Amino acid sequence: MTNSNIAAPRFMLMGGGAVAQIAELLGKFGLSRPLIVSDKVMVGTGLIDKCLAPLTAAGIAHTVFSDTVSDPTDTVIEAGVKIIRAGNFDCLIGFGGGSPMDTAKAMAILATGGGKMRDYKVPVSADCADLPIIAIPTTAGTGSEATRFTVITDTERDEKMLIAGLGVLPLAAIVDHELTFTVPARTTADTGVDSLTHALEAYVSKRATPFSDALAVSAMALIGRHLRAAYAEPRNAAAREGMMLGANQAGLAFSNSSVALVHGMSRPIGAHFHVPHGLSNAMLLPAVTRFSISGAPARYAEAARRIGLASDGDADGGACTRLVGGLEALNTTLAVPTPAAFGIKEDAWNAKMDLMAEQALASGSPANNPRVPSKDEIVALYREVWTGAARNAR
Ligand SMILES: NC(=O)c1ccc[n+]([C@@H]2O[C@H](COP(=O)([O-])OP(=O)(O)OC[C@H]3O[C@@H](n4cnc5c(N)ncnc54)[C@H](O)[C@@H]3O)[C@@H](O)[C@H]2O)c1
Ligand SMILES: [Fe+2]
């Protein structure tokens, strides 16, 4: 076995209602001056009070930066860094979906090293951050509470940049599924497919390790079992808990392996057409999986069995066929639109395919795919996703 580098938060508090212990968690690390990074929905719906009330009760003064946007931008990070510099904070609490957590991570990096956000994108290793991050996810989810990644949009270049390193790995996380009861069905579906994609890509990645495999396999089983129920029944506690655990394990899995071609192709769609991250993954997942299977058929077959799309008795070939069909059926159940139904114009899509393929390759993620695509193959996949060729070919 080759050596592998394993990284995870120092501490994770898991379970329904766990967010009530935020003050005790800060106390464990001697922290007492948090800047809470969140978004307008968390503040507007009052969900953030689940974090603020226990801090107030413990006499911990706090400031909230709630200007985070979905798919956070470099300009929002710069605004957040100004708040850090104007205050006297000893930690950042990212409270919300992947966007607020990723914003907090990027703020810590930029506040420490200065410069521009793009100075830190891969292959740079963003290892230094003076402020520790406590991450509290409210979607299930990106797994960002447990990953050494943040994804920030470069607004000048319309590019979703991957930033990786120990500086963006949270010190601690609170993983409380009760915070996800209010997630709307569309976002439940999109974030759930994101976590499924993390687990599947971690498992088939060229960088998979025995450590990431164990987490990916467990995550695929949890997400395969609970995603549909979480989508259909928002207050189904068992389904929400299963999804939260699955998303967290999927995050740990890909953070210690990698994502691959789906994510590589998904980020440019998000940057150019403002499709939510999980939704662009879902649009790509069946076609990219079908393209990739020949690179690791045994792994894809095992993934199909773990997700519950094939049975233990299915031979690899049959299990792989069921995987692609099952992912398409999942998209139908979760009402995933085609790019056209989402509102993207065909001319605009075609005009960007070349650039998107270049940006996908430059991110490095396609190189981890079991079947490494050429630029032309990526363009063909974008075309296929537009026409629904994977669907029609069945
Ligand atoms: N750092 C990583 O490892 C990693 C991994 C995958 C994705 N990402 C990034 O994370 C971002 C996406 O995160 P996301 O999918 O969680 O979406 P998000 O954070 O943008 O949230 C989506 C929407 O759901 C709302 N929401 C969140 N929690 C809610 C709740 N409990 N109740 C009601 N509404 C709620 C938000 O306010 C927002 O409007 C993207 O920028 C993506 O690139 C990061
Ligand atoms: Fe993702």
Side-chain angles (χ1 to χ4, degrees):
M1 189 180 118
T2 50
N3 291 353
S4 32
N5 300 305
I6 307 301
R10 251 169 97 183
F11 186 77
M12 293 201 287
L13 189 60
M14 326 276 293
V19 69
Q21 294 168 53
I22 177 67
E24 290 85 339
L25 186 143
L26 292 186
K28 265 184 199 303
F29 295 105
L31 301 169
S32 60
R33 300 188 309 278
L35 172 61
I36 293 119
V37 179
S38 195
D39 69 22
K40 295 275 185 276
V41 173
M42 300 294 106
V43 174
T45 60
L47 196 67
I48 199 167
D49 294 336
K50 301 256 184 205
C51 175
L52 301 186
L55 291 174
T56 305
I60 295 178
H62 44 75
T63 304
V64 177
F65 173 68
S66 63
D67 289 349
T68 296
V69 292
S70 276
D71 300 323
T73 57
D74 47 8
T75 46
V76 168
I77 308 305
E78 284 163 17
V81 167
K82 286 200 179 117
I83 307 283
I84 291 178
R85 297 230 162 99
N88 178 28
F89 304 104
D90 63 5
C91 63
L92 302 178
I93 299 178
F95 182 93
S99 299
M101 291 189 286
D102 277 14
T103 301
K105 291 172 162 192
M107 281 165 56
I109 290 291
L110 197 64
T112 303
K116 289 272 178 201
M117 213 59 247
R118 73 173 71 94
D119 300 338
Y120 301 92
K121 74 175 180 178
V122 289
V124 172
S125 198
D127 288 329
C128 298
D130 292 338
L131 285 174
I133 293 141
I134 317 292
I136 308 179
T138 65
T139 60
T142 63
S144 180
E145 73 277 6
T147 74
R148 48 178 139 181
F149 301 110
T150 178
V151 184
I152 303 299
T153 299
D154 184 329
T155 45
E156 277 172 31
R157 300 180 185 174
D158 269 349
E159 183 189 346
K160 275 186 97 170
M161 303 178 289
L162 182 62
I163 293 158
L166 294 181
V168 295
L169 179 68
L171 170 72
I174 299 182
V175 183
D176 177 350
H177 64 273
E178 292 180 5
L179 295 173
T180 66
F181 285 152
T182 50
V183 180
R186 179 74 268 135
T187 305
T188 299
D190 297 346
T191 51
V193 174
D194 186 28
S195 54
L196 179 62
T197 310
H198 293 158
L200 178 60
E201 295 211 288
Y203 190 62
V204 300
S205 167
K206 286 183 187 300
R207 294 167 65 183
T209 69
F211 181 87
S212 62
D213 282 352
L215 289 156
V217 159
S218 174
M220 286 190 280
L222 282 164
I223 298 162
R225 196 177 318 137
H226 293 293
L227 175 53
R228 285 180 179 82
Y231 174 68
E233 306 158 36
R235 297 200 74 87
N236 180 327
R240 291 296 197 182
E241 182 167 25
M243 283 305 300
M244 199 59 152
L245 287 176
N248 178 261
Q249 292 175 3
L252 283 167
F254 89 82
S255 189
N256 289 291
S257 168
S258 77
V259 284
L261 183 55
V262 179
H263 271 78
M265 291 179 63
S266 178
R267 289 183 214 106
I269 298 177
H272 294 289
F273 299 109
H274 306 290
V275 180
H277 172 68
L279 188 56
S280 50
N281 284 349
M283 290 171 178
L284 293 160
L285 189 55
V288 173
T289 300
R290 200 170 64 153
F291 169 85
S292 306
I293 280 171
S294 63
R299 288 230 152 206
Y300 278 104
E302 188 57 14
R305 296 183 195 105
R306 300 295 182 152
I307 298 168
L309 297 174
S311 57
D312 286 348
D314 286 325
D316 285 0
C320 287
T321 306
R322 283 175 192 269
L323 178 61
V324 178
L327 294 174
E328 283 174 350
L330 181 64
N331 277 0
T332 304
T333 304
L334 301 179
V336 172
T338 60
F342 182 80
I344 301 171
K345 297 276 173 281
E346 185 167 9
D347 289 354
W349 181 269
N350 288 343
K352 293 282 188 204
M353 285 194 306
D354 214 61
L355 176 61
M356 291 200 297
E358 277 167 17
Q359 291 179 332
L361 281 171
S363 77
S365 297
N368 301 321
N369 209 54
R371 178 177 170 196
V372 178
S374 66
K375 184 182 154 192
D376 288 350
E377 284 171 327
I378 295 181
V379 171
L381 280 166
Y382 278 128
R383 186 80 217 132
E384 182 178 333
V385 167
W386 180 270
T387 58
R391 245 172 322 233
N392 300 336
R394 289 194 312 127

